[in-house]
Short mmCIF file of all heavy atoms in Angstrom, two decimals:
data_model
loop_
_atom_site.label_atom_id
_atom_site.label_comp_id
_atom_site.label_asym_id
_atom_site.label_seq_id
_atom_site.Cartn_x
_atom_site.Cartn_y
_atom_site.Cartn_z
N LEU A 1 0.86 -1.18 0.00
CA LEU A 1 0.00 0.00 0.00
C LEU A 1 0.90 1.24 0.00
O LEU A 1 1.74 1.39 0.89
CB LEU A 1 -0.91 0.02 1.24
CG LEU A 1 -1.85 1.24 1.35
CD1 LEU A 1 -2.81 1.30 0.17
CD2 LEU A 1 -2.60 1.22 2.67
N VAL A 2 0.73 2.07 -0.99
CA VAL A 2 1.56 3.27 -1.15
C VAL A 2 0.73 4.51 -0.86
O VAL A 2 -0.36 4.67 -1.40
CB VAL A 2 2.15 3.36 -2.56
CG1 VAL A 2 3.05 4.60 -2.69
CG2 VAL A 2 2.94 2.10 -2.91
N ILE A 3 1.25 5.37 0.00
CA ILE A 3 0.61 6.65 0.26
C ILE A 3 1.63 7.75 -0.05
O ILE A 3 2.71 7.78 0.54
CB ILE A 3 0.15 6.77 1.72
CG1 ILE A 3 -0.81 5.62 2.07
CG2 ILE A 3 -0.54 8.12 1.97
CD1 ILE A 3 -1.22 5.59 3.52
N SER A 4 1.29 8.62 -0.97
CA SER A 4 2.20 9.68 -1.37
C SER A 4 1.41 10.95 -1.67
O SER A 4 0.19 10.90 -1.86
CB SER A 4 3.03 9.25 -2.57
OG SER A 4 2.19 8.81 -3.62
N PRO A 5 2.08 12.10 -1.73
CA PRO A 5 1.40 13.38 -1.88
C PRO A 5 0.52 13.47 -3.13
O PRO A 5 0.89 12.99 -4.20
CB PRO A 5 2.54 14.39 -1.96
CG PRO A 5 3.66 13.72 -1.24
CD PRO A 5 3.54 12.27 -1.54
N SER A 6 -0.63 14.09 -2.96
CA SER A 6 -1.56 14.30 -4.08
C SER A 6 -1.93 15.78 -4.14
O SER A 6 -1.59 16.58 -3.26
CB SER A 6 -2.82 13.45 -3.89
OG SER A 6 -3.50 13.84 -2.70
N ASN A 7 -2.67 16.12 -5.16
CA ASN A 7 -3.24 17.47 -5.34
C ASN A 7 -2.20 18.55 -5.63
O ASN A 7 -2.24 19.19 -6.64
CB ASN A 7 -4.08 17.88 -4.12
CG ASN A 7 -5.24 16.96 -3.87
OD1 ASN A 7 -5.78 16.39 -4.81
ND2 ASN A 7 -5.60 16.76 -2.63
N LYS A 8 -1.29 18.76 -4.71
CA LYS A 8 -0.30 19.82 -4.88
C LYS A 8 1.08 19.22 -5.10
O LYS A 8 1.38 18.15 -4.61
CB LYS A 8 -0.25 20.71 -3.65
CG LYS A 8 -1.56 21.41 -3.31
CD LYS A 8 -1.36 22.23 -2.04
CE LYS A 8 -2.65 22.94 -1.64
NZ LYS A 8 -2.48 23.72 -0.39
N THR A 9 1.91 19.91 -5.84
CA THR A 9 3.31 19.49 -5.91
C THR A 9 4.01 20.11 -4.72
O THR A 9 3.73 21.24 -4.31
CB THR A 9 3.98 19.96 -7.21
OG1 THR A 9 4.08 21.38 -7.19
CG2 THR A 9 3.19 19.50 -8.42
N LEU A 10 4.94 19.37 -4.16
CA LEU A 10 5.66 19.88 -2.99
C LEU A 10 6.54 21.07 -3.34
O LEU A 10 6.82 21.92 -2.48
CB LEU A 10 6.51 18.74 -2.38
CG LEU A 10 5.73 17.48 -1.95
CD1 LEU A 10 6.63 16.57 -1.14
CD2 LEU A 10 4.48 17.83 -1.18
N ASP A 11 6.94 21.15 -4.60
CA ASP A 11 7.72 22.31 -5.04
C ASP A 11 6.90 23.60 -4.91
O ASP A 11 7.42 24.65 -4.50
CB ASP A 11 8.17 22.13 -6.50
CG ASP A 11 9.14 20.98 -6.67
OD1 ASP A 11 9.42 20.29 -5.67
OD2 ASP A 11 9.61 20.77 -7.80
N GLN A 12 5.62 23.50 -5.26
CA GLN A 12 4.75 24.68 -5.17
C GLN A 12 4.58 25.13 -3.72
O GLN A 12 4.57 26.32 -3.42
CB GLN A 12 3.39 24.38 -5.80
CG GLN A 12 3.43 24.22 -7.31
CD GLN A 12 2.09 23.76 -7.87
OE1 GLN A 12 1.24 23.23 -7.15
NE2 GLN A 12 1.91 23.96 -9.17
N ILE A 13 4.40 24.15 -2.84
CA ILE A 13 4.25 24.48 -1.43
C ILE A 13 5.53 25.10 -0.90
O ILE A 13 5.50 26.09 -0.16
CB ILE A 13 3.90 23.20 -0.60
CG1 ILE A 13 2.57 22.62 -1.09
CG2 ILE A 13 3.83 23.53 0.88
CD1 ILE A 13 2.22 21.30 -0.41
N ALA A 14 6.68 24.55 -1.31
CA ALA A 14 7.96 25.10 -0.86
C ALA A 14 8.15 26.53 -1.36
O ALA A 14 8.64 27.40 -0.61
CB ALA A 14 9.10 24.21 -1.36
N MET A 15 7.74 26.79 -2.60
CA MET A 15 7.89 28.13 -3.15
C MET A 15 7.09 29.15 -2.34
O MET A 15 7.52 30.28 -2.14
CB MET A 15 7.42 28.12 -4.61
CG MET A 15 7.91 29.32 -5.41
SD MET A 15 9.71 29.28 -5.62
CE MET A 15 10.08 31.03 -5.65
N LYS A 16 5.93 28.73 -1.86
CA LYS A 16 5.07 29.61 -1.07
C LYS A 16 5.74 30.02 0.24
O LYS A 16 5.49 31.10 0.79
CB LYS A 16 3.74 28.92 -0.79
CG LYS A 16 2.71 29.80 -0.11
CD LYS A 16 1.35 29.13 -0.10
CE LYS A 16 1.32 27.96 0.84
NZ LYS A 16 -0.06 27.41 1.00
N HIS A 17 6.61 29.13 0.76
CA HIS A 17 7.27 29.39 2.04
C HIS A 17 8.74 29.75 1.88
O HIS A 17 9.49 29.71 2.86
CB HIS A 17 7.14 28.16 2.94
CG HIS A 17 5.73 27.82 3.33
ND1 HIS A 17 5.06 28.48 4.35
CD2 HIS A 17 4.86 26.92 2.83
CE1 HIS A 17 3.83 27.97 4.46
NE2 HIS A 17 3.69 27.03 3.55
N ALA A 18 9.15 30.07 0.67
CA ALA A 18 10.58 30.31 0.39
C ALA A 18 11.19 31.38 1.29
O ALA A 18 12.34 31.25 1.74
CB ALA A 18 10.77 30.68 -1.07
N LEU A 19 10.43 32.42 1.59
CA LEU A 19 10.98 33.52 2.39
C LEU A 19 11.12 33.15 3.86
O LEU A 19 11.67 33.93 4.64
CB LEU A 19 10.11 34.76 2.25
CG LEU A 19 10.09 35.39 0.85
CD1 LEU A 19 9.19 36.62 0.83
CD2 LEU A 19 11.50 35.75 0.39
N ASP A 20 10.62 31.98 4.25
CA ASP A 20 10.82 31.52 5.64
C ASP A 20 12.25 31.05 5.88
O ASP A 20 12.69 30.97 7.03
CB ASP A 20 9.85 30.36 5.96
CG ASP A 20 8.40 30.81 6.02
OD1 ASP A 20 8.17 32.03 6.09
OD2 ASP A 20 7.51 29.95 5.97
N LEU A 21 12.96 30.74 4.80
CA LEU A 21 14.36 30.33 4.95
C LEU A 21 15.18 31.49 5.52
O LEU A 21 14.94 32.64 5.17
CB LEU A 21 14.94 29.93 3.59
CG LEU A 21 14.94 28.46 3.18
CD1 LEU A 21 15.55 28.32 1.80
CD2 LEU A 21 15.68 27.58 4.18
N PRO A 22 16.15 31.20 6.37
CA PRO A 22 17.03 32.26 6.85
C PRO A 22 17.70 33.00 5.68
O PRO A 22 17.99 32.39 4.65
CB PRO A 22 18.06 31.49 7.69
CG PRO A 22 17.35 30.27 8.12
CD PRO A 22 16.46 29.89 6.99
N ARG A 23 17.93 34.29 5.87
CA ARG A 23 18.50 35.11 4.81
C ARG A 23 19.82 34.56 4.28
O ARG A 23 20.11 34.59 3.08
CB ARG A 23 18.70 36.54 5.30
CG ARG A 23 19.16 37.52 4.22
CD ARG A 23 19.43 38.89 4.81
NE ARG A 23 18.21 39.47 5.30
CZ ARG A 23 17.36 40.19 4.57
NH1 ARG A 23 17.62 40.38 3.29
NH2 ARG A 23 16.25 40.70 5.10
N SER A 24 20.64 34.01 5.18
CA SER A 24 21.94 33.49 4.76
C SER A 24 21.78 32.34 3.77
O SER A 24 22.52 32.25 2.77
CB SER A 24 22.72 33.00 5.98
OG SER A 24 22.00 32.00 6.68
N ILE A 25 20.80 31.46 3.99
CA ILE A 25 20.59 30.32 3.10
C ILE A 25 19.94 30.79 1.80
O ILE A 25 20.29 30.29 0.72
CB ILE A 25 19.72 29.24 3.78
CG1 ILE A 25 20.39 28.79 5.09
CG2 ILE A 25 19.52 28.04 2.86
CD1 ILE A 25 21.78 28.21 4.91
N ARG A 26 19.04 31.76 1.88
CA ARG A 26 18.45 32.30 0.65
C ARG A 26 19.54 32.89 -0.23
O ARG A 26 19.54 32.70 -1.46
CB ARG A 26 17.39 33.37 0.99
CG ARG A 26 16.19 32.84 1.75
CD ARG A 26 14.96 33.73 1.53
NE ARG A 26 15.20 35.13 1.82
CZ ARG A 26 15.02 35.70 3.00
NH1 ARG A 26 14.61 34.96 4.03
NH2 ARG A 26 15.21 36.99 3.18
N SER A 27 20.45 33.62 0.38
CA SER A 27 21.56 34.20 -0.39
C SER A 27 22.46 33.12 -0.96
O SER A 27 22.95 33.23 -2.09
CB SER A 27 22.38 35.13 0.51
OG SER A 27 21.58 36.16 1.05
N PHE A 28 22.64 32.06 -0.17
CA PHE A 28 23.51 30.95 -0.57
C PHE A 28 23.00 30.24 -1.81
O PHE A 28 23.78 29.83 -2.69
CB PHE A 28 23.63 29.98 0.60
CG PHE A 28 24.56 28.82 0.36
CD1 PHE A 28 25.92 29.00 0.23
CD2 PHE A 28 24.05 27.53 0.29
CE1 PHE A 28 26.76 27.92 0.02
CE2 PHE A 28 24.89 26.45 0.07
CZ PHE A 28 26.25 26.66 -0.06
N VAL A 29 21.66 30.07 -1.91
CA VAL A 29 21.09 29.30 -3.03
C VAL A 29 20.51 30.18 -4.12
O VAL A 29 20.09 29.68 -5.17
CB VAL A 29 19.97 28.35 -2.51
CG1 VAL A 29 20.53 27.40 -1.46
CG2 VAL A 29 18.78 29.12 -1.94
N TYR A 30 20.50 31.50 -3.91
CA TYR A 30 19.84 32.40 -4.86
C TYR A 30 20.43 32.27 -6.28
O TYR A 30 19.70 32.16 -7.27
CB TYR A 30 19.94 33.84 -4.39
CG TYR A 30 19.22 34.82 -5.29
CD1 TYR A 30 17.85 35.02 -5.19
CD2 TYR A 30 19.94 35.55 -6.27
CE1 TYR A 30 17.18 35.89 -6.03
CE2 TYR A 30 19.27 36.42 -7.11
CZ TYR A 30 17.90 36.60 -6.99
OH TYR A 30 17.26 37.46 -7.82
N GLY A 31 21.72 32.30 -6.38
CA GLY A 31 22.36 32.25 -7.69
C GLY A 31 22.10 30.96 -8.45
O GLY A 31 22.22 30.94 -9.69
N SER A 32 21.75 29.90 -7.74
CA SER A 32 21.51 28.61 -8.39
C SER A 32 20.13 28.55 -9.05
O SER A 32 19.85 27.63 -9.81
CB SER A 32 21.60 27.49 -7.36
OG SER A 32 20.50 27.53 -6.45
N GLY A 33 19.28 29.54 -8.74
CA GLY A 33 17.93 29.54 -9.30
C GLY A 33 16.91 28.85 -8.41
O GLY A 33 15.76 28.65 -8.80
N ALA A 34 17.30 28.52 -7.17
CA ALA A 34 16.41 27.81 -6.25
C ALA A 34 15.22 28.66 -5.81
O ALA A 34 14.19 28.12 -5.41
CB ALA A 34 17.18 27.32 -5.03
N MET A 35 15.36 29.99 -5.88
CA MET A 35 14.28 30.86 -5.43
C MET A 35 13.28 31.16 -6.56
O MET A 35 12.34 31.91 -6.37
CB MET A 35 14.86 32.18 -4.89
CG MET A 35 15.82 32.00 -3.72
SD MET A 35 15.03 31.25 -2.27
CE MET A 35 13.94 32.57 -1.76
N LYS A 36 13.51 30.53 -7.71
CA LYS A 36 12.60 30.71 -8.84
C LYS A 36 11.78 29.44 -9.03
O LYS A 36 12.13 28.37 -8.54
CB LYS A 36 13.38 31.04 -10.10
CG LYS A 36 14.18 32.35 -9.99
CD LYS A 36 14.98 32.61 -11.25
CE LYS A 36 15.78 33.91 -11.13
NZ LYS A 36 16.60 34.18 -12.33
N ARG A 37 10.71 29.55 -9.79
CA ARG A 37 9.75 28.47 -9.95
C ARG A 37 10.40 27.15 -10.40
O ARG A 37 10.14 26.09 -9.84
CB ARG A 37 8.68 28.88 -10.95
CG ARG A 37 7.62 27.82 -11.21
CD ARG A 37 6.53 28.36 -12.13
NE ARG A 37 5.61 27.29 -12.53
CZ ARG A 37 5.77 26.54 -13.59
NH1 ARG A 37 6.83 26.71 -14.37
NH2 ARG A 37 4.89 25.60 -13.89
N GLY A 38 11.26 27.20 -11.36
CA GLY A 38 11.84 25.97 -11.90
C GLY A 38 12.81 25.26 -10.97
O GLY A 38 13.07 24.07 -11.13
N GLY A 39 13.34 25.99 -9.99
CA GLY A 39 14.34 25.38 -9.10
C GLY A 39 13.88 25.17 -7.69
O GLY A 39 14.67 24.87 -6.80
N ALA A 40 12.56 25.30 -7.45
CA ALA A 40 12.04 25.22 -6.09
C ALA A 40 12.15 23.83 -5.50
O ALA A 40 11.97 23.66 -4.29
CB ALA A 40 10.58 25.68 -6.07
N GLY A 41 12.47 22.85 -6.33
CA GLY A 41 12.64 21.50 -5.81
C GLY A 41 13.71 21.43 -4.74
O GLY A 41 13.59 20.68 -3.76
N VAL A 42 14.76 22.21 -4.90
CA VAL A 42 15.84 22.26 -3.91
C VAL A 42 15.29 22.75 -2.58
O VAL A 42 15.62 22.22 -1.51
CB VAL A 42 17.00 23.15 -4.39
CG1 VAL A 42 18.01 23.38 -3.27
CG2 VAL A 42 17.70 22.52 -5.60
N LEU A 43 14.44 23.79 -2.63
CA LEU A 43 13.86 24.31 -1.41
C LEU A 43 13.02 23.27 -0.68
O LEU A 43 13.01 23.21 0.55
CB LEU A 43 12.96 25.53 -1.72
CG LEU A 43 13.63 26.77 -2.32
CD1 LEU A 43 12.61 27.87 -2.49
CD2 LEU A 43 14.78 27.24 -1.43
#
């Protein structure tokens, strides 16, 4: 029996809370594109 996330992608949820990350980590990953839609998987 497999139970896994439905309805929403976890990337979308993470993007909504991106600013909750400490400023130092946001700065650390910003250049990689993690703060943008296509790279939110890292978040």
